[in-house]
Amino acid sequence: MTLKGIVKGTGNMLGRYIGKWFYDKGIHFDATNTPYFPPIVNAIRRAGLAVKPPTAYELSGPILDEEVDEVRKLIEECKQSWPRTSITLMSAGWLNKVGKKEFEKFLSYSPKGTALLSSKDVSRTKKDANFSVRL
């Protein structure tokens, strides 16, 4: 087999293993269209044989903590731009059909980006003209 055939076969196997993971965990195929998917594949290629996948502990602990810190920094950058750019406050409601709960989320939009400000369970809140003011 030629080197080209080996590389092509390796790529196919990577695709198959990624596919098995998607199918097993019910990951929507559109997840491959996020900006985060190609860097995963590139990182696997660069790491080569030395790569070890993260453990459940690492994903739910230190790696998650790093991502939370990064998001907090991005939100803080957004907030710091508000006095210069102004913001648009937005709200959106949604219903959790399984638990029969209603939620209202509040977001800010500015040229720097959109940030979730809060989310509240409004299942037991009276829906009238003053609904949003009370939240």
Side-chain angles (χ1 to χ4, degrees):
M1 182 178 276
T2 66
L3 181 58
K4 187 175 182 179
I6 292 170
V7 171
K8 184 178 179 188
T10 303
N12 184 49
M13 286 309 298
L14 176 60
R16 298 230 6 236
Y17 284 122
I18 289 172
K20 287 176 192 260
W21 178 53
F22 270 63
Y23 313 142
D24 181 59
K25 292 301 172 191
I27 300 169
H28 195 280
F29 302 137
D30 192 44
T32 62
N33 294 325
T34 72
Y36 305 107
F37 187 71
I40 292 169
V41 176
N42 290 334
I44 292 168
R45 285 185 192 142
R46 282 192 307 275
L49 297 175
V51 70
K52 289 190 177 171
T55 64
Y57 164 76
E58 291 168 328
L59 287 170
S60 66
I63 293 172
L64 178 59
D65 292 342
E66 288 176 26
E67 290 301 314
V68 168
D69 287 344
E70 184 176 329
V71 169
R72 283 188 176 136
K73 287 176 189 171
L74 290 171
I75 291 172
E76 191 54 40
E77 286 177 25
C78 246
K79 286 180 177 180
Q80 288 178 3
S81 75
W82 293 351
R84 294 185 312 275
T85 64
S86 74
I87 63 170
T88 300
L89 293 176
M90 303 180 294
S91 71
W94 59 279
L95 174 66
N96 175 343
K97 293 180 182 176
V98 175
K100 304 287 186 200
K101 295 215 176 226
E102 295 177 80
F103 294 91
E104 190 76 17
K105 55 186 175 180
F106 298 91
L107 305 105
S108 66
Y109 171 80
S110 73
K112 189 77 173 171
T114 303
L116 175 67
L117 300 174
S118 70
S119 179
K120 295 188 178 202
D121 180 349
V122 294
S123 303
R124 298 182 183 193
T125 306
K126 183 177 177 184
K127 312 319 185 274
D128 60 13
N130 293 317
F131 169 71
S132 293
V133 175
R134 286 194 305 272
L135 297 177

